[in-house]
Amino acid sequence: DDVGSDAAVWDKWQETRKDHGVPPGVFSKLLQEHCLKHASYLKVNEATGHEEDKSLPGYSDEGRRAGLSSCVTYSGKENAMWGFLDSLYHRCQLINPCDIGLRIGGNDYAYLMGYGNDPSMPTENRKRDYPQLYPAPNAVMPRGEYQSERPKHPMLDTHQNPGLPVTARLAVHDPSLTDVDCHLYAVAGNAREGTRGKEIACHLSHKGKDAPEVIANVFGMVALTPLLVLKNGVYE
């Protein structure tokens, strides 16, 4: 299918997935149309969010499902992907290795990016047995500031300008994992041959610690959020 006016964002999305070891997604014109339905619903009702109310104009079941399975931004599609990737909880929608069908689309009011199911799409087993790291090793990041989002990051009550969260997304949830001990260090030199430098002060969150109630499992992530924006360099 022709991605149309969303092609530039789509291409960058696929490039970013590849850079993080994630297989490409499959574009669907049908899912794009569903995104537009939800964006139109939000615009006509001057609303925000993922849900739709059947009593309001513009409601559709397809639009509602698109809203529930997508990240939604109101800052324009040009900034959509980086805003989601620079957050913590929303980035999982964009670089989930297991997603096949991807949603993308919207209007000048709201723009959606996420996953979906189109019956005409091929199926593929993408289960993995290794953690997904973000930022990926040796990946070049566009910027390092955390972008605020809903649900609210627990640390924002005490630190207003944290850095980009560093995450390990586990392949399989281990119910015996009730606590973890994680640290972030600067590396003197390159990633392969460098030596460990000073520890970076971070906020740690995972399923058993400081996870928002609405997404208690934090998508299987262990997250280290630097108290200050990280400087350019190598970290461990």
Side-chain angles (χ1 to χ4, degrees), residues 1-14 27 32 77 104 111:
D1 289 337
D2 182 6
V3 186
S5 62
D6 295 316
V9 183
W10 174 265
D11 291 344
K12 198 66 181 178
W13 190 0
Q14 299 311 297
F27 171 75
Q32 185 185 47
K77 66 181 179 181
I104 186 172
Y111 195 76

Side-chain angles (χ1 to χ4, degrees), residues 39-62:
S40 299
Y41 165 88
L42 295 174
K43 183 175 182 178
V44 73
N45 292 292
E46 298 182 352
T48 59
H50 301 273
E51 263 286 6
E52 292 192 11
D53 186 335
K54 289 184 177 181
S55 66
L56 296 179
Y59 170 86
S60 69
D61 185 58
E62 297 86 358

Side-chain angles (χ1 to χ4, degrees), residues 100-118:
I100 308 296
L102 300 181
R103 301 182 184 272
I104 186 172
N107 54 29
D108 59 350
Y109 180 83
Y111 195 76
L112 285 69
M113 298 179 71
Y115 67 93
N117 178 36
D118 181 341

Side-chain angles (χ1 to χ4, degrees), residues 25-28 99-101 116-126:
V26 179
F27 171 75
S28 162
D99 287 343
I100 308 296
N117 178 36
D118 181 341
S120 68
M121 286 183 174
T123 58
E124 181 181 343
N125 184 349
R126 289 185 173 179

